[in-house]
Amino acid sequence: MAAVQDGQLNLEVEKDIKTEITNDGSGNINANSSSPGSTSSGGKSKSPAGSGEDQQTLLAVLQFLKRNKLTESVDILRREAGLSADADDSPVSESAGAGSGGVPSVGADGGDANSLLSRVSIATPVAPPDCGLDSHGGLATPIYFHSSNNCACTVVAASGGEDQPDVNVVLSAYSQQGDPVLYPLYYNGLKKFIESVLDCHRAELSQVFYPLFVHMYLELVYNNHENEAKQFFEKFSGDQECYYEEDLRILSSMSKKEHMKGNETMLDFRTSKFVLRISRDSYQLLKRHLQERQNNQIWNIIQEHLYIDIFDGMPRSKSQIDAMSGSLAGEGKRDANKAKVFYGLLKEPEIEVPLDDEDEEAENEEGKPKKKKPKKDSMGSKSKKQDPNAPQQTRIPLPELKDSDKLDKIMNMKEATKKIRLGPDNLPSICFYSFLNAYQGLTAVDFTDDSSLIAGGFADSTVRVWSVTPKKLRRVKSAADLSNIDKESDDVLERIMDEKTASESKILYGHSGPVYGISFSPDRNYLLSSSEDGTVRLWSLQTFTCLVGYKGHNYPVWDTQFSPYGYYFISGGHDRVARLWATDHYQPLRMFAGHLADITCTLFHPNSNYVATGSADRTIRLWDVLTGNCVRILTGHKGPIHSLAFSPNGKFMASGATDGRVLLWDAFDDVELDDFTAATGHIHLPENSQELLLGTYMTKSTPVIHLHFTRRNLLLAAGAYNP
Amino acid sequence: MSYRSLAFELFPFLPPLFVSEEQRLLHVRYERYTSTMAEERRPKQCTVVLPTESMKAMAESIGVGQLQEESCAALSEEVSYRIKEIAQDALKFMHHGKRCKLTTSDIDHALKLKNVEPLYGFQSQEFIPFRFASGGGRELHFYEEKEVDLSDIINTPLPRVPLDVSLKAHWLSIEGVQPAIPENPPPAPKEQQKTESTEPLKAVKPGQEEEGSIQKGQGATSAEAKGKKDGLMRMKPRSTHELSVEQQLYYKEITEACVGSCEAKRAEALQSIATDPGLYQMLPRFSTFISEGVRVNVVQNNLALLIYLMRMVKALMDNPTLYLEKYLHELIPAVVTCIVSKQLCLRPDVDNHWALRDFAARLMAQSCKTFSTTTNNIQSRITKTFTKVYNKCWLDDKTQWTTRYGCIAGLSELGPDVIKTLILPRLTVEGARIKAVSDGPVVSNIDKIGADHVQSLLLKHCASVIAKARPLPDNVEQYRADYGYLGPMLCSHVVKARAQAALQAQQVNRTTLTITQPRPTLTVSQSGIGGSGGSRTASIIKVPSSLTLMSTRPGTPTQLSPPATKYIVMATSSGSSSTQQVLWMASICKISRTLKLSSSAVANSAVDMMKLALMRTATGKGDPELPLLQRISSLELPASEIAAQINA
């Protein structure tokens, strides 16, 4: 089923992209048609290099022109080329000419079409699949998706990474090439030009450098110009922004065509278009320059591998660009971030709080019984009002509240009244939980929401659970013992527990690799853990056994998290696909594909309708659980993202990455204004963000792995003591 | 991260990745592989590849004899690329494992990603050293794998079972303030203490205004103005002149224990001084306590107390978190006093004050080593002080032997160079003087003892230096000519020293370390390297305090101890108060003399007194009552015994 859908989808989108290219090319059409001589002279200059290469270049140009129905220039070009390579060229041009007659046909050129196809299949999620069939399926399924297993798996796209359709096909797009000796000249020419343009355009145009550099280098490598590639790299790698250093290192190690096969970074570059946002003025400048210089090599790369998002308005400044750049595939496209996000919270179910209890509490806590009541009222009224930004209550089906959940909610509300208001003058107390003797390596920690349990995942593939309250961890009695219990008695829930096994900590064995992600269910009955062995495991905290091993990721699963309402959970890992699961399905309900590198962290939005994933491709994506679409691509980090957090009201998100920065995002409103030069998506902290830093607390020798605010706003931290 | 070991790790599975020109797929068992790895040292230069010789060597090791140069080049490029690729993947695992150090398991996992069988047998070793050998005309790196005797493994006792993971909670911060508990790092790291004391303008604290320096005053006012302008500015915690109630209690306890009668308590207190990270606020008080204490007790000739105070100095110096430079002006005079004072005890003929002088001299040498810089020039100043006294006593026969002993001890602890330049030239004169005492008319017993001690000291220190500096042979007559009276004795000592040196030279592999000052270091010995997997022994957590952390009950700390809010500003121990103390001291001594108390008891009470006085001035409660006489604890241990203890 999935495969079929996939196929249809690919076709659909492929068409989309084709038309898109046609539109895109309009600038190019002018360029080529207005100066046909330039093309030919380029061809001439290349002719000594070798007829084979020459021919290929010509072919590519011809194809391009034909695709754009520029028969005139095709003719001119063919005439020009005919002078040098008449005999070889004619059959090709004939076949191409046949193609050019009608609508650009898929079969025009086998290799090219295939490469396009393969590219599309990867790039699909970038352009949200707007085909009716798919979205319809997405709409229909979720309502039933706990019952219907087959439709549940709305695979949005083929997975990325390892199972690339055919590497050779992908790579073949690099076969068109020019004289390797000229590459540095081209690049230098462009560099000189960009350095000489007006300051206001320079920053924008400088964005072109990095993707151009990468693609030129890859072309050189692909065409076996190893030495030229090396020289090219040495000459210009220093010019690139420092935050690309990591990628450059990978690139530089790649010096042979054989290396390109199976190199993920390379495929990322190849299969996804690098997205740049450039103002119309700057773009015109660039275009004119390339046109004047007849710099077809660069122009081709820009056409083939870059997606230039042109906007009207003031060119952006360097700092604006820097705030957004840094990701593996450029910035998010404008229309990728257009979808509406319902970031409001769901309405809290109305629970009658037993009043006498409250009063007792109030009496116990003398001094402020008066203050508390209005506060409570305000809270109540707030939850009654429907947030305009909130999704519909039934947008995705959520599990019904059980009695125990209601009790928990009541507890939660009670605790919330005791919450300490924090501020710069009122800093939280921090309680630090050190894991001692964790020689095997602590890799993940999670606290339950009520801070009664701590779970740690270890590199020796164990999961350990501690109780931090005096209540010990007890396991349910065995089946034989359970049958002896009087089921009618009032304290049956107590009786089923085995007192003999009570202890402060329990060890869960089952994984066969380091445990990288761990998450408690909100009702504290389950624990999720994800591991290097490619599985996510669900553990029962009643029996302390493994209930399910969810298999789907074939590679290490870096993170997993329960939905705030339970039942659903999300996992993401090395295979670049995030999967949404329900605990009672052994197959994923949704697969979110689109990241270009490992998914390093996953997080549910507080209203459970959205999922955020952070990745080593230095982007954060927000996915809609209902449709499976990517609704936001947030760029700006300069290193792999390693942690995410939503604000409790769901409006903001914070992300931390290895670039040492924490970015705060306010990107869920309609960010896309026309004048989006100002809207970077993330909140700009004042220059001196040190002023926002309220306190630094050093540990002795303990890396902090996890942080958690309790309901009363006490901050809990955890890490392994590392003497 | 050791790239070397990493690359080494990779070798065994590299052969399957080779695609040689001969189209030979090389499958190998793990053996010794050789390579020089210069790779990935510089992050920028990533085009570095393995040398082709490595390929040759590897090929040879698996029986491929003649590998062509081009094949080698192609191979090495391929191999280098694959290594880098795997290293990059392995880094991912390192990051997700929340570590900064690449381990062998990371590489195993990275291999697994690539569907390559992981490498077995490298799990346990933390560090895989590369050995360097040369043979056959080329240099080789190889991994040394010793043969393991099974019976050895069987017979060795099993290592201790590693402790299980446990959870321990502590307060990292209480309402924004980090409590100074052993679980937290020291509140003010040494660096900060240093910058605070060396660059007062940058971190001016209001407390420093009292020091009256104009510069500082200005700095403070500007800082205040700044503080007013920007209401949010966080003032640095006042650190110099205020102690919380807890700290005052601690100070009282510690000082009492340090000079009190209970040896166990003293040891505990000294241990606390030497290790506690949060002492810097009390440092000025400790240093005043010591300097005042020495001043009083030298007058009182209370050897025991002086010894205790010197031990405190040592403990302070041993504390790695304290920035002592600021207080050397108080500590050094105190120490020097203990070295060269004419009289340190009531009965110089019986008590072993020599030990105290030796101990203090070592302290002096240690502080010279640690604190001497080009700006403060401590070492040269100290040397000058000693030589001045020494010169004087050389000129003046009336100088006490005790002082002379102290000077020589102080100088000789400063190292062989000092001995050579300053003491050796004087040997003849000293010898003559010693001779005069021993052979001359019967003088006081004290002089005789003093001369004996000086003689043995000179022999002890000079012999080793001479043994090194002076060429063979050791001729008695020659020695007599050079060094006078001490010559013959020196000669025999030198011969002995030489013999000992020769003996040491025979034990080639053992590096001998002469530690003049036994430091209280806690060494964790690990056994069982070799094939058995060295890291199986549970290494005990090195911080002593954390051994108590092992409570299995994690639990939230039950109570929030309120942050120390109550501060009492203490008057500086300016001249007036110290003179006051001395006066009290004197009065106490008078009283005690009338009561005919033992000297140590008097000293004890005096110090108690002083402490109390300090506390009083600290707490601002005036008029010191003198209830101390009741509290005078009898000090049983005779001073000589304590001195012996120090020596031991």
Side-chain angles (χ1 to χ4, degrees):
Chain A
M1 168 87 193
V4 176
Q5 264 187 2
D6 209 20
Q8 286 170 340
L9 188 71
N10 281 344
L11 276 179
E12 287 269 353
V13 181
E14 182 200 335
K15 273 180 200 161
D16 277 2
I17 291 203
K18 286 226 157 183
T19 48
E20 186 185 286
I21 287 166
T22 333
N23 297 338
D24 256 28
S26 59
N28 188 30
I29 297 164
N30 299 336
N32 277 330
S33 55
S34 61
S35 60
S38 67
T39 328
S40 61
S41 69
K44 262 181 201 166
S45 69
K46 281 172 219 152
S47 56
S51 62
E53 290 169 7
D54 204 320
Q55 196 179 321
Q56 274 179 330
T57 320
L58 262 175
L59 238 164
V61 174
L62 278 171
Q63 258 167 30
F64 185 80
L65 293 174
K66 266 174 264 153
R67 210 182 295 148
N68 295 318
K69 298 177 201 161
L70 295 165
T71 37
E72 214 180 272
S73 24
V74 170
D75 286 338
I76 297 168
L77 182 61
R78 212 181 295 157
R79 227 180 299 137
E80 291 278 344
L83 295 173
S84 58
D86 197 12
D88 289 21
D89 199 24
S90 52
V92 181
S93 61
E94 257 173 31
S95 71
S100 75
V103 189
S105 72
V106 185
D109 180 86
D112 200 11
N114 273 342
S115 77
L116 206 60
L117 216 159
S118 61
R119 189 170 70 233
V120 166
S121 69
I122 303 307
T124 323
V126 182
D130 43 358
C131 43
L133 188 139
D134 188 52
S135 62
H136 175 72
L139 271 174
T141 39
I143 302 161
Y144 305 106
F145 60 27
H146 37 272
S147 58
S148 69
N149 220 340
N150 336 355
C151 345
C153 193
T154 323
V155 180
V156 177
S159 71
E162 315 314 303
D163 30 357
Q164 294 295 341
D166 186 356
V167 180
N168 285 322
V169 176
V170 175
L171 292 174
S172 67
Y174 279 127
S175 58
Q176 46 164 314
Q177 53 135 5
D179 185 352
V181 183
L182 292 177
Y183 273 58
L185 287 180
Y186 289 145
Y187 191 88
N188 234 348
L190 188 71
K191 199 172 134 189
K192 284 221 178 81
F193 161 69
I194 289 178
E195 276 164 4
S196 67
V197 298
L198 287 175
D199 281 0
C200 60
H201 300 298
R202 192 183 302 154
E204 280 205 321
L205 291 180
S206 304
Q207 298 176 83
V208 181
F209 280 138
Y210 176 66
L212 261 187
F213 170 79
V214 170
H215 285 291
M216 286 172 95
Y217 177 76
L218 289 178
E219 273 192 22
L220 285 173
V221 170
Y222 182 79
N223 294 305
N224 286 326
H225 304 300
E226 198 180 323
N227 289 329
E228 283 88 348
K230 250 178 213 167
Q231 278 165 13
F232 184 76
F233 189 89
E234 269 163 32
K235 199 162 176 193
F236 299 114
S237 63
D239 298 349
Q240 311 305 328
E241 298 279 359
C242 53
Y243 41 80
Y244 292 122
E245 196 174 315
E246 196 65 23
D247 290 339
L248 290 179
R249 188 153 50 201
I250 296 172
L251 269 187
S252 71
S253 67
M254 211 163 30
S255 56
K256 283 212 181 326
K257 192 174 171 181
E258 297 86 66
H259 296 164
M260 295 172 93
K261 286 177 199 163
N263 188 304
E264 290 149 22
T265 318
M266 215 292 308
L267 283 172
D268 292 337
F269 278 119
R270 185 60 205 93
T271 53
S272 62
K273 284 198 167 189
F274 198 94
V275 182
L276 298 171
R277 289 187 188 180
I278 292 182
S279 70
R280 190 170 294 285
D281 295 348
S282 309
Y283 181 68
Q284 296 291 353
L285 266 176
L286 177 68
K287 205 167 72 181
R288 210 176 307 138
H289 166 76
L290 293 176
Q291 209 172 297
E292 280 165 13
R293 295 296 180 86
Q294 301 120 35
N295 216 337
N296 288 313
Q297 203 62 42
I298 288 180
W299 187 248
N300 279 341
I301 289 175
I302 290 179
Q303 288 293 306
E304 270 290 311
H305 304 300
L306 267 55
Y307 179 95
I308 297 185
D309 202 347
I310 303 163
F311 64 89
D312 296 306
M314 287 286 288
R316 293 187 294 170
S317 70
K318 175 86 180 134
S319 60
Q320 278 172 326
I321 290 167
D322 273 350
M324 297 281 282
S325 61
S327 106
L328 199 60
E331 299 173 33
K333 273 184 219 167
R334 217 179 335 169
D335 44 357
N337 287 339
K338 276 219 163 122
K340 178 160 174 56
V341 174
F342 302 99
Y343 58 81
L345 299 187
L346 293 177
K347 203 168 68 175
E348 288 291 321
E350 287 178 34
I351 304 166
E352 315 80 50
V353 180
L355 274 172
D356 46 350
D357 243 28
E358 271 300 296
D359 287 346
E360 267 174 40
E361 282 285 319
E363 278 163 19
N364 288 347
E365 237 184 67
E366 284 165 35
K368 44 179 180 179
K370 277 180 189 171
K371 266 189 184 173
K372 224 167 65 179
K373 276 188 179 157
K375 212 191 237 172
K376 234 204 82 56
D377 285 350
S378 71
M379 271 187 59
S381 64
K382 202 201 275 172
S383 62
K384 269 166 210 157
K385 219 188 288 167
Q386 175 70 30
D387 188 340
N389 290 312
Q392 281 203 323
Q393 206 72 11
T394 52
R395 191 162 178 269
I396 62 163
L398 292 170
E400 274 183 31
L401 282 183
K402 287 175 288 194
D403 284 351
S404 60
D405 296 331
K406 282 180 185 159
L407 275 176
D408 204 50
K409 279 255 186 304
I410 291 169
M411 275 303 294
N412 198 344
M413 281 158 81
K414 272 188 198 166
E415 297 253 2
T417 57
K418 292 177 195 162
K419 196 179 261 186
I420 304 160
R421 256 194 102 73
L422 297 179
D425 303 323
N426 199 3
L427 296 172
S429 298
I430 306 169
C431 177
F432 200 98
Y433 288 93
S434 309
F435 288 76
L436 301 173
N437 312 317
Y439 305 112
Q440 62 271 63
L442 178 70
T443 43
V445 177
D446 195 31
F447 292 96
T448 52
D449 186 44
D450 67 347
S451 319
S452 61
L453 300 175
I454 294 180
F458 291 86
D460 66 355
S461 63
T462 57
V463 175
R464 288 160 199 258
V465 185
W466 278 269
S467 164
V468 290
T469 55
K471 208 174 136 192
K472 291 191 172 181
L473 299 174
R474 295 172 303 177
R475 111 180 354 138
V476 175
K477 284 178 183 165
S478 66
D481 292 338
L482 280 177
S483 60
N484 297 333
I485 291 174
D486 174 17
K487 289 169 191 69
E488 301 304 314
S489 73
D490 291 337
D491 58 345
V492 67
L493 286 177
E494 268 304 304
R495 288 193 185 193
I496 58 169
M497 293 315 210
D498 191 358
E499 279 300 329
K500 272 178 277 175
T501 60
S503 63
E504 275 139 18
S505 81
K506 297 261 186 230
I507 309 179
L508 307 172
Y509 297 103
H511 279 296
S512 59
V515 179
Y516 291 119
I518 204 162
S519 175
F520 278 108
S521 74
D523 60 2
R524 296 186 297 284
N525 281 327
Y526 303 105
L527 177 71
L528 274 176
S529 62
S530 71
S531 159
E532 186 269 341
D533 61 12
T535 61
V536 179
R537 280 178 187 271
L538 182 75
W539 309 86
S540 163
L541 297 182
Q542 302 292 336
T543 60
F544 292 98
T545 51
C546 182
L547 300 177
V548 198
Y550 299 95
K551 291 170 187 170
H553 295 278
N554 278 325
Y555 292 98
V557 189
W558 296 133
D559 199 8
T560 185
Q561 212 221 4
F562 251 114
S563 149
Y565 292 87
Y567 186 58
Y568 302 113
F569 64 93
I570 176 90
S571 65
H574 178 73
D575 61 1
R576 305 157 182 218
V577 182
R579 286 170 162 82
L580 179 84
W581 313 73
T583 46
D584 55 0
H585 289 64
Y586 64 90
Q587 281 180 321
L589 303 180
R590 294 280 184 280
M591 290 169 77
F592 305 112
H595 275 298
L596 298 172
D598 300 31
I599 290 174
T600 48
C601 47
T602 56
L603 185 71
F604 259 98
H605 190 273
N607 69 18
S608 197
N609 277 268
Y610 296 92
V611 159
T613 54
S615 161
D617 67 7
R618 307 186 284 267
T619 62
I620 300 159
R621 281 167 187 259
L622 191 71
W623 310 87
D624 192 338
V625 167
L626 180 69
T627 60
N629 290 341
C630 174
V631 288
R632 288 286 180 279
I633 302 174
L634 307 174
T635 59
H637 270 298
K638 317 284 189 251
I641 287 141
H642 272 263
S643 70
L644 292 171
F646 276 106
S647 66
N649 66 3
K651 195 167 169 11
F652 304 107
M653 186 168 71
S655 60
T658 54
D659 59 1
R661 301 189 307 158
V662 175
L663 298 185
L664 196 59
W665 304 88
D666 178 14
F668 309 132
D669 264 320
D670 299 324
V671 270
E672 289 318 331
L673 319 165
D674 277 341
D675 175 30
F676 72 104
T677 50
T680 51
H682 61 81
I683 296 169
H684 253 297
L685 301 179
E687 276 300 298
N688 188 3
S689 57
Q690 286 298 319
E691 281 171 19
L692 292 176
L693 182 69
L694 297 175
T696 312
Y697 306 102
M698 309 289 285
T699 60
K700 219 170 188 176
S701 178
T702 313
V704 184
I705 292 183
H706 192 74
L707 291 173
H708 174 78
F709 271 104
T710 66
R711 289 167 181 173
R712 295 190 191 188
N713 266 349
L714 176 74
L715 183 57
L716 304 181
Y721 182 62
N722 198 4
Chain B
M1 175 176 48
S2 157
Y3 275 110
R4 279 190 155 192
S5 59
L6 151 70
F8 171 73
E9 293 288 310
L10 289 168
F11 274 108
F13 52 77
L14 286 178
L17 299 174
F18 292 177
V19 188
S20 72
E21 278 187 357
E22 289 93 334
Q23 295 295 310
R24 248 198 270 209
L25 202 65
L26 311 173
H27 277 283
V28 216
R29 265 179 41 244
Y30 171 72
E31 265 173 14
R32 282 180 186 168
Y33 289 93
T34 57
S35 150
T36 47
M37 293 296 300
E39 121 143 318
E40 294 202 32
R41 272 293 156 77
R42 290 150 292 178
K44 260 290 175 192
Q45 283 208 344
C46 292
T47 45
V48 180
V49 291
L50 297 167
T52 49
E53 293 91 60
S54 307
M55 296 301 122
K56 272 196 187 138
M58 265 185 264
E60 272 171 33
S61 72
I62 51 163
V64 179
Q66 302 294 320
L67 207 58
Q68 284 164 21
E69 193 59 34
E70 294 115 59
S71 332
C72 284
L75 270 177
S76 72
E77 254 177 63
E78 180 70 17
V79 170
S80 311
Y81 174 71
R82 298 295 164 197
I83 289 182
K84 285 173 192 168
E85 216 177 36
I86 289 164
Q88 272 159 10
D89 275 345
L91 279 179
K92 265 184 202 168
F93 286 93
M94 182 189 84
H95 285 307
H96 284 282
K98 315 276 197 294
R99 276 175 282 114
C100 302
K101 195 174 176 187
L102 198 70
T103 64
T104 51
S105 60
D106 290 333
I107 294 173
D108 283 348
H109 291 141
L111 287 172
K112 222 171 130 191
L113 280 189
K114 300 244 174 262
N115 267 333
V116 182
E117 192 164 345
L119 187 65
Y120 302 108
F122 281 94
Q123 259 63 17
S124 58
Q125 295 259 341
E126 267 254 308
F127 170 67
I128 302 157
F130 253 74
R131 298 302 161 103
F132 193 71
S134 58
R138 60 185 173 193
E139 288 163 338
L140 298 173
H141 286 291
F142 66 95
Y143 173 55
E144 194 176 20
E145 232 180 359
K146 282 186 187 142
E147 277 182 23
V148 180
D149 193 357
L150 268 182
S151 62
D152 278 358
I153 296 178
I154 294 165
N155 291 333
T156 46
L158 286 173
R160 280 177 57 188
V161 178
L163 293 163
D164 198 13
V165 188
S166 61
L167 204 57
K168 151 87 182 154
H170 74 267
W171 290 107
L172 186 67
S173 142
I174 296 167
E175 290 173 9
V177 183
Q178 190 161 35
I181 47 174
E183 286 89 346
N184 285 331
K190 211 171 171 182
E191 283 307 306
Q192 189 191 328
Q193 293 176 41
K194 186 177 175 181
T195 47
E196 270 176 18
S197 60
T198 49
E199 293 164 42
L201 273 180
K202 277 189 185 167
V204 175
K205 286 154 292 181
Q208 282 180 335
E209 285 166 52
E210 292 158 22
E211 285 172 31
S213 142
I214 301 163
Q215 251 197 341
K216 281 170 187 167
Q218 277 174 348
T221 48
S222 71
E224 264 170 29
K226 213 176 161 191
K228 271 173 203 162
K229 195 174 68 189
D230 185 2
L232 281 173
M233 198 184 94
R234 291 167 60 81
M235 299 297 282
K236 293 220 166 184
R238 302 178 166 206
S239 58
T240 350
H241 288 285
E242 55 199 33
L243 292 184
S244 64
V245 178
E246 288 91 339
Q247 282 171 324
Q248 290 178 21
L249 280 173
Y250 174 84
Y251 175 78
K252 187 162 173 278
E253 284 291 319
I254 287 285
T255 45
E256 262 170 28
C258 276
V259 293
S261 59
C262 176
E263 183 59 32
K265 260 191 182 174
R266 179 172 15 259
E268 231 171 88
L270 290 176
Q271 170 77 8
S272 169
I273 293 177
T275 53
D276 204 307
L279 286 184
Y280 74 105
Q281 283 172 319
M282 277 167 272
L283 193 51
R285 275 158 200 78
F286 278 129
S287 91
T288 317
F289 178 81
I290 290 166
S291 82
E292 291 296 320
V294 168
R295 201 182 300 177
V296 170
N297 285 298
V298 162
V299 177
Q300 299 303 322
N301 292 328
N302 191 329
L303 181 60
L305 262 277
L306 288 174
I307 289 173
Y308 298 153
L309 291 169
M310 284 304 108
R311 286 171 74 183
M312 270 181 88
V313 174
K314 176 157 169 45
L316 282 175
M317 282 173 66
D318 285 347
N319 191 326
T321 62
L322 291 179
Y323 181 73
L324 271 186
E325 277 86 337
K326 218 172 157 183
Y327 305 99
L328 288 178
H329 66 281
E330 283 189 311
L331 294 179
I332 286 186
V335 176
V336 173
T337 308
C338 287
I339 300 175
V340 298
S341 176
K342 272 181 214 161
Q343 199 180 353
L344 289 170
C345 48
L346 284 178
R347 293 164 297 168
D349 47 341
V350 183
D351 292 340
N352 188 1
H353 58 97
W354 314 106
L356 172 63
R357 290 176 201 275
D358 284 340
F359 182 72
R362 281 201 292 269
L363 267 184
M364 198 60 243
Q366 190 189 340
S367 54
C368 279
K369 252 179 233 146
T370 25
F371 302 120
S372 189
T373 62
T374 46
T375 35
N376 64 17
N377 258 338
I378 291 176
Q379 168 133 13
S380 67
R381 280 157 72 186
I382 291 295
T383 321
K384 246 178 239 163
T385 315
F386 284 139
T387 34
K388 220 190 288 166
V389 185
Y390 194 47
N391 278 334
K392 209 178 85 194
C393 70
W394 176 51
L395 293 170
D396 182 5
D397 268 346
K398 278 171 199 155
T399 313
Q400 294 284 326
W401 282 103
T402 47
T403 307
R404 192 168 293 151
Y405 180 91
C407 289
I408 297 170
L411 284 174
S412 41
E413 288 294 344
L414 290 173
D417 288 337
V418 179
I419 296 177
K420 213 155 116 189
T421 48
L422 293 174
I423 300 183
L424 290 190
R426 302 217 180 286
L427 272 181
T428 332
V429 188
E430 284 306 320
R433 194 167 289 140
I434 293 167
K435 188 165 185 276
V437 172
S438 53
D439 298 354
V442 180
V443 272
S444 73
N445 194 23
I446 292 172
D447 274 356
K448 182 129 177 47
I449 295 171
D452 279 352
H453 271 99
V454 169
Q455 180 181 325
S456 57
L457 180 78
L458 283 171
L459 290 176
K460 188 174 90 186
H461 285 295
C462 295
S464 59
V465 177
I466 293 173
K468 273 182 199 135
R470 203 183 157 92
L472 284 167
D474 297 320
N475 187 343
V476 180
E477 287 313 309
Q478 190 65 39
Y479 269 79
R480 191 192 295 280
D482 286 353
Y483 303 116
Y485 171 70
L486 291 173
M489 277 176 280
L490 260 181
C491 183
S492 65
H493 270 84
V494 168
V495 170
K496 239 184 260 172
R498 282 196 210 277
Q500 209 165 8
L503 199 74
Q504 279 172 354
Q506 278 177 353
Q507 302 164 331
V508 190
N509 289 333
R510 206 178 275 173
T511 48
T512 50
L513 257 174
T514 7
I515 302 163
T516 47
Q517 298 262 322
R519 283 172 155 268
T521 47
L522 209 152
T523 48
V524 180
S525 60
Q526 275 203 327
S527 63
I529 307 171
S532 64
S535 58
R536 267 186 50 202
T537 18
S539 70
I540 301 152
I541 295 173
K542 281 154 204 149
V543 183
S545 58
S546 60
L547 284 174
T548 56
L549 308 183
M550 243 49 100
S551 76
T552 44
R553 144 116 271 137
T556 329
T558 40
Q559 71 219 20
L560 264 170
S561 71
T565 45
K566 196 177 170 191
Y567 287 109
I568 298 161
V569 177
M570 187 180 187
T572 43
S573 55
S574 58
S576 65
S577 64
S578 57
T579 47
Q580 233 180 339
Q581 288 151 20
V582 176
L583 283 178
W584 293 328
M585 241 37 95
S587 65
I588 278 217
C589 296
K590 226 178 270 169
I591 298 164
S592 61
R593 246 172 241 152
T594 54
L595 291 177
K596 299 210 170 108
L597 288 163
S598 73
S599 66
S600 51
V602 175
N604 232 15
S605 67
V607 170
D608 263 4
M609 194 55 237
M610 194 180 67
K611 254 170 10 201
L612 208 81
L614 278 172
M615 287 300 298
R616 286 256 161 66
T617 41
T619 46
K621 285 171 199 157
D623 187 27
E625 265 287 310
L626 305 175
L628 276 180
L629 285 179
Q630 284 101 40
R631 292 178 51 202
I632 291 174
S633 48
S634 60
L635 208 127
E636 248 85 48
L637 279 173
S640 55
E641 230 178 283
I642 293 153
Q645 268 179 12
I646 292 177
N647 261 358

